[in-house]
Amino acid sequence: MIKTINLTKTFGDNMVLKNITTTINRGEVVAVIGPSGSGKSTFLRSLNLLESPSNGFIWIDDKEITNPKINKSEIRKHIGMVFQHFHLFPHMTVLENVMYAPIKVKNQSKAQAEESAQELLAKVGLMDKINAYPNRLSGGQKQRVAIARALAMKPEIMLFDEPTSALDPEMVKEVLDVMRDLAKTGITMIVVTHEMNFAKEVADRILFMDDGRLMEEGRPEAFFSKPTTKRAEEFLSKVL
Amino acid sequence: MNLDFSQIVPSIPFILEGIGATLKFVSVSIIFGLVLGTVLALCKISKRKWLKWPADVYTSIFRGTPLILQLMIIHYAVPQLFLYDIPVFLSAVLAFGLNSAAYVSEIIRAGIMAVDKGQVEAAEALGVSYRPMMVNIILPQALKNILPALMNEFITLTKESALVSTIGYMDLMRRAEIVGAQLYRNFEPLLVAGIIYWVMIFILTNIGSWVERRMRQSD
């Protein structure tokens, strides 16, 4: 369970997150939507402390991760993250990318890491690319490797930061399909996305953000058919 | 034209022995400079002021004064203070290594800063701690980009190594000078030394190109 209490983040004079208070339950799939610059990514990046909150608290299960004494690496071991621009390690092959963290962070043996890496790469449909370097892959393939790389750490929570925004349109589906399968496994997923159909269909709950505030949250059917705030209504009329 | 190589032929083995002497201290200096330069570069990009500041001062001093002055200070001035008769090899390695570290640190710093910030985030998000992140992810990528600049530094160092002849280290240059003085003929031994330097740099350059090609495998 993830709980944020009055989560606030400022960059200089600019307050990008304003008192976000919400709870995300174990196994829940949450889509975070809203206009550009509304603080969605910052919110997501706060959850694994890539951004350190200026104020407020984040609890993950019974740990307060905003405690300054917390070991960030330890927290991040349990939280996978997928970025808009993939950030695969370019000097490693696909297989090495997926094996790296389990070996270095979890001290898995090479054989063990390789076995689970192959399993994951098979799951995302990239067995034929395991020895390729990232720059030989298409965007969709890169993003699937990135998902496999994050999953290799066996995280309890997966964060997706606009995972399809940098992709050519014809590659969006292959990535969303992988995410759809993943959502069925019962892992906790938080997805910042502009893919409204994906949000509608896969998410258990929608968080709508605007101007650093969490404006509205609710079940997708309710949110998409009858948003309660004016701002959400305006936003939906533009994107749907 | 008064040019006669036959006279220096018996001295050529003596000059050639200088290759080993030069290579020995150059390679130790390069490694020393590379290790210290990397540490300095990491200090410079650190957010901690007390790490960054000394590294900047260090670079300023070693880049801001002549190498021959540093060599002289280490070899002649330091013994005056500590009454320690420093061997020429140690002086040479210290002067060249410390000096090279200042330049190398700037090259590596530039290389690290050119690596996409997303790489750090991706590593951090996986729970990778600072050390393995630097060693396995950031530095290899930085190294690939700065290899040509590093090769330049190594080539400069190899050639400038001739400066150690001034403190009596029996390197290639010093030996050529000795032979010249013995025979009262300077052109021939210096020409031989020059050719040997050129060949050494030629080989070094080729090793560099080979390493660069290998590192570009992932492109």
Side-chain angles (χ1 to χ4, degrees):
Chain A
M1 190 181 72
I2 305 167
K3 199 179 185 118
T4 69
I5 304 164
N6 285 329
L7 185 63
T8 298
K9 173 76 183 173
T10 50
F11 289 114
D13 293 336
N14 191 11
M15 197 181 235
V16 289
L17 287 184
K18 298 170 183 164
N19 297 311
I20 309 276
T21 300
T22 189
T23 303
I24 294 157
N25 293 310
R26 185 175 284 269
E28 208 176 2
V29 178
V30 172
V32 185
I33 64 175
S36 301
S38 57
K40 311 180 295 283
S41 286
T42 310
F43 171 68
L44 192 77
R45 291 159 56 84
S46 301
L47 299 179
N48 67 349
L49 300 175
L50 280 185
E51 303 289 354
S52 35
S54 313
N55 243 315
F57 305 93
I58 303 171
W59 288 77
I60 293 182
D61 296 329
D62 52 357
K63 274 202 208 85
E64 193 221 312
I65 66 166
T66 35
N67 184 332
K69 287 200 197 107
I70 204 86
N71 179 344
K72 290 184 185 176
S73 298
E74 193 54 45
I75 297 297
R76 289 167 178 156
K77 278 184 206 174
H78 307 285
I79 307 177
M81 181 151 191
V82 175
F83 300 86
Q84 181 178 358
H85 295 288
F86 332 122
H87 300 326
L88 294 179
F89 305 132
H91 58 304
M92 298 183 190
T93 64
V94 165
L95 186 65
E96 286 164 348
N97 262 280
V98 181
M99 287 166 62
Y100 178 75
I103 292 174
K104 284 288 165 179
V105 182
K106 281 190 154 177
N107 295 317
Q108 279 186 14
S109 73
K110 228 182 138 196
Q112 199 183 353
E114 185 167 343
E115 197 189 316
S116 49
Q118 289 194 352
E119 210 171 286
L120 280 165
L121 286 167
K123 221 178 265 176
V124 298
L126 285 170
M127 264 322 259
D128 54 329
K129 298 285 181 194
I130 55 173
N131 291 317
Y133 283 96
N135 71 337
R136 291 263 167 259
L137 305 181
S138 70
Q141 290 169 333
K142 281 183 197 169
Q143 198 59 299
R144 285 184 281 150
V145 175
I147 294 173
R149 180 178 67 175
L151 289 175
M153 289 295 287
K154 303 219 170 10
E156 287 136 38
I157 301 163
M158 280 288 281
L159 309 177
F160 291 86
D161 191 1
E162 303 198 21
T164 57
S165 297
L167 299 179
D168 291 339
E170 74 266 29
M171 290 165 185
V172 170
K173 186 175 175 294
E174 65 189 56
V175 171
L176 292 183
D177 284 345
V178 168
M179 290 169 63
R180 212 170 268 132
D181 288 344
L182 189 61
K184 288 179 201 143
T185 62
I187 194 168
T188 310
M189 275 169 70
I190 305 169
V191 187
V192 170
T193 186
H194 292 293
E195 295 291 329
M196 294 303 146
N197 287 327
F198 178 80
K200 203 184 285 184
E201 177 196 333
V202 179
D204 300 313
R205 188 151 53 106
I206 306 289
L207 302 187
F208 174 72
M209 290 182 66
D210 185 41
D211 191 29
R213 287 194 185 81
L214 177 56
M215 301 293 282
E216 187 169 342
E217 51 184 314
R219 294 208 46 89
E221 323 65 273
F223 175 79
F224 283 105
S225 59
K226 228 185 267 168
T228 53
T229 57
K230 188 97 179 61
R231 199 58 199 89
E233 204 176 307
E234 278 168 22
F235 176 75
L236 288 178
S237 72
K238 279 183 202 142
V239 297
L240 288 183
Chain B
M1 205 152 67
N2 178 13
L3 202 57
D4 180 7
F5 282 92
S6 63
Q7 285 198 49
I8 71 151
V9 168
S11 306
I12 283 182
F14 175 74
I15 296 179
L16 288 178
E17 272 176 55
I19 297 177
T22 291
L23 282 181
K24 195 167 86 182
F25 108 84
V26 164
S27 50
V28 176
S29 301
I30 284 179
I31 293 167
F32 178 36
L34 200 56
V35 172
L36 182 60
T38 308
V39 174
L40 285 170
L42 292 174
C43 290
K44 283 178 187 175
I45 58 165
S46 165
K47 284 182 194 111
R48 301 190 187 102
K49 282 238 163 54
W50 55 271
L51 279 175
K52 188 179 171 339
W53 182 81
D56 285 339
V57 171
Y58 178 97
T59 306
S60 176
I61 291 172
F62 279 90
R63 276 203 311 189
T65 56
L67 175 54
I68 191 159
L69 178 101
Q70 294 162 17
L71 185 66
M72 294 284 166
I73 287 181
I74 290 170
H75 193 65
Y76 295 121
V78 171
Q80 176 193 328
L81 297 183
F82 300 107
L83 298 174
Y84 167 63
D85 193 11
I86 190 167
V88 278
F89 180 79
L90 187 59
S91 297
V93 165
L94 275 178
F96 278 79
L98 292 172
N99 182 275
S100 178
Y103 287 91
V104 167
S105 72
E106 279 300 291
I107 297 173
I108 293 181
R109 186 177 68 91
I112 292 174
M113 295 200 337
V115 175
D116 179 11
K117 211 171 153 281
Q119 293 291 309
V120 174
E121 292 192 343
E124 284 181 347
L126 285 165
V128 180
S129 47
Y130 181 80
R131 219 182 140 89
M133 172 177 84
M134 276 299 165
V135 173
N136 304 131
I137 293 167
I138 306 302
L139 286 175
Q141 292 182 55
L143 209 59
K144 192 172 108 178
N145 295 329
I146 60 176
L147 207 66
L150 274 182
M151 280 316 292
N152 245 342
E153 167 60 20
F154 298 159
I155 287 170
T156 305
L157 195 149
T158 307
K159 286 185 304 180
E160 295 298 301
S161 75
L163 278 182
V164 294
S165 60
T166 59
I167 59 166
Y169 186 72
M170 290 291 273
D171 73 326
L172 203 53
M173 184 70 193
R174 176 87 181 142
R175 283 164 190 262
E177 280 173 0
I178 290 173
V179 172
Q182 278 173 348
L183 302 175
Y184 295 103
R185 306 188 71 89
N186 278 307
F187 194 88
E188 296 87 344
L190 289 178
L191 187 69
V192 169
I195 291 169
I196 296 172
Y197 275 115
W198 181 82
V199 170
M200 288 199 307
I201 300 298
F202 182 79
I203 294 170
L204 187 62
T205 308
N206 277 297
I207 294 173
S209 310
W210 178 77
V211 175
E212 205 177 319
R213 268 198 309 278
R214 286 212 44 172
M215 291 186 101
R216 299 233 168 260
Q217 252 178 8
S218 60
D219 285 356

